[in-house]
């Protein structure tokens, strides 16, 4: 029965409707909370926005774990694991596929920082319904991928981050865009031209942003998390797989690097980041060949790591059930009435609403597509 629901258009539509309707409701309430910051209650406004964000973003791990059966195995040193979720951190992650975000949302929920996850994202995401609006309310850093303007945007945002009173994760994809074979070709041409080692599983990282951010956060953020994810079977899943409820397995490895080990001098910081990505490339190559990470002494930097399977979160399940109980029955009843018992105008409006939800869900799914001006 559940399998039929996952593969049905109706099941996917109700999932999309619940996610977007819940998000729209949360966005409206968050909008009402914004003026609090204008009249001297900035921290209270932030706390309200964060708590409201959890009520929406909890749907992501709920759908991931209870609908799509995403199975995440975390690898890290035990001492590092005890710090996850209990300190501010800069996350440097490989940008492998459309589910990168979903994995981080699940990890953040597991360590109780889901509502405090931030990221540096392209400015076009700001207008994406529900997701982009939530990012704006949560003070994500929106960049235009323009060296002339992005530096100022980042500096201003980091100054704002210094006033956060809660622990947060700031996620940065240093490759600047998601990996594809065409972009890899452009990346390797750049690497050869500039005396760098070409990478097999990653694009050459953009170092200026990382250097600027690590310097700006040095006094308030104690660590950089070097995050690498791989998918057993060497097949990168898509958001369509996710929505379709197809089982996905994820291997995730995290290395905690104290912020004082990150060089402040730009050229040394650049080499430091390149070394991180060379390590990531070794990790992904080993995983591709052995379907596991090299935590048994094969790579000294990861020796001592242990495996931890992220259990399904019941609180996220409770949140999505609550939203579905509140939103689905009234929507179904009203839609059926307007379609079959209402006036012609009501039937047209009901049909347009259904079409609008379907189109908006496609826009959200498309926002994860690998389109960029990389290499231009």
């Amino acid at each position: 029965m559940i399998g039929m629901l996952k593969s049905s258009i109706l099941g996917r539509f109700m999932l999309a409707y619940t996610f977007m309707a819940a998000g729209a409701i949360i966005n409206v309430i968050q909008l009402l909370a914004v003026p609090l910051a204008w009249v001297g209650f900035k921290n209270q406004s932030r706390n309200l926005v964060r708590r409201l964000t959890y009520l929406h973003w909890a749907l992501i791990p709920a759908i991931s774990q209870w609908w799509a059966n995403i199975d995440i195995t975390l690898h890290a040193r035990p001492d590092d694991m005890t710090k996850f979720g209990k300190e501010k951190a800069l996350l440097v992650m490989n940008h492998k596929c459309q589910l990168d975000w979903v994995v981080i949302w699940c990890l953040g929920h597991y360590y109780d920082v889901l509502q405090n996850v931030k990221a540096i994202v392209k400015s076009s995401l700001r207008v994406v319904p529900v997701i982009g609006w939530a990012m704006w309310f949560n003070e994500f850093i929106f960049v235009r991928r323009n060296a002339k303007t992005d530096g100022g945007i980042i500096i201003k945002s980091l100054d704002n981050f210094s006033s956060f009173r809660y622990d947060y994760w700031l996620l940065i994809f240093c490759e600047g865009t998601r990996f594809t074979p065409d972009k890899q070709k452009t990346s390797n041409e750049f690497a050869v031209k500039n005396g760098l080692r070409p990478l097999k599983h990653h694009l050459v990282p953009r170092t200026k942003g990382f250097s600027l951010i690590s310097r700006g956060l040095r006094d308030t953020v104690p660590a950089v998390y070097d995050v690498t994810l791989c998918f057993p079977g060497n097949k990168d899943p898509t958001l369509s797989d996710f929505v379709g409820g197809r089982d996905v397995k994820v291997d995730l490895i995290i290395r905690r690097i104290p912020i004082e080990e990150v060089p402040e001098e730009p050229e040394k910081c650049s080499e430091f980041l390149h070394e991180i990505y060379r390590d990531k490339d070794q990790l992904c190559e080993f995983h591709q060949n052995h379907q596991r990470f090299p935590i048994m002494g094969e790579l000294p930097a990861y020796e001592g790591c242990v495996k931890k399977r992220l259990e399904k979160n019941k609180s996220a399940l409770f949140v999505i059930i609550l939203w579905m109980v509140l939103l689905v029955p009234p929507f179904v009843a009203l839609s059926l009435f307007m379609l079959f018992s209402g006036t012609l105008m009501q039937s047209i409006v009901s049909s347009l609403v259904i079409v609008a939800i379907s189109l908006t869900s496609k826009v959200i799914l498309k926002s994860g597509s690998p389109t960029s001006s990389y290499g231009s």
Side-chain angles (χ1 to χ4, degrees), residues 165-184:
R165 295 183 178 179
Y166 52 84
D167 294 330
Y168 63 83
W169 287 354
L170 175 60
L171 175 64
I172 175 173
F173 295 111
C174 293
E175 293 164 274
T177 184
R178 185 150 53 81
F179 181 92
T180 66
D182 287 341
K183 293 174 188 174
Q184 182 198 24

Side-chain angles (χ1 to χ4, degrees), residues 63-164:
I63 296 169
S64 303
Q65 296 179 323
W66 296 95
W67 174 269
N69 288 322
I70 286 185
D71 187 357
I72 302 174
T73 301
L74 170 65
H75 303 67
R77 291 191 174 94
D79 288 346
D80 291 349
M81 285 187 185
T82 62
K83 297 180 177 67
F84 296 165
K86 298 178 182 178
E87 64 179 355
K88 298 180 178 70
L90 173 62
L91 277 63
V92 177
M93 186 173 177
N94 58 330
H95 207 359
K96 193 159 181 63
C97 74
Q98 290 179 312
L99 294 193
D100 298 346
W101 289 95
V102 173
V103 174
I104 286 296
W105 258 235
C106 292
L107 185 69
H109 192 273
Y110 186 85
Y111 284 106
D112 200 27
V113 290
L114 171 65
Q115 64 274 23
N116 301 340
V117 174
K118 318 290 181 186
I120 298 179
V121 297
K122 55 188 179 183
S123 60
S124 59
L125 287 176
R126 195 195 307 258
V127 299
V128 174
V130 179
I131 286 289
W133 303 338
M135 289 177 174
W136 183 84
F137 284 121
N138 283 278
E139 301 175 85
F140 279 47
I141 301 177
F142 293 92
V143 295
R144 302 187 180 94
R145 291 171 174 167
N146 184 320
K148 294 181 180 179
T149 60
D150 287 347
I153 293 172
I154 290 173
I155 291 172
K156 183 177 179 180
S157 297
L158 295 181
D159 183 61
N160 185 47
F161 275 36
S162 66
S163 64
F164 290 170

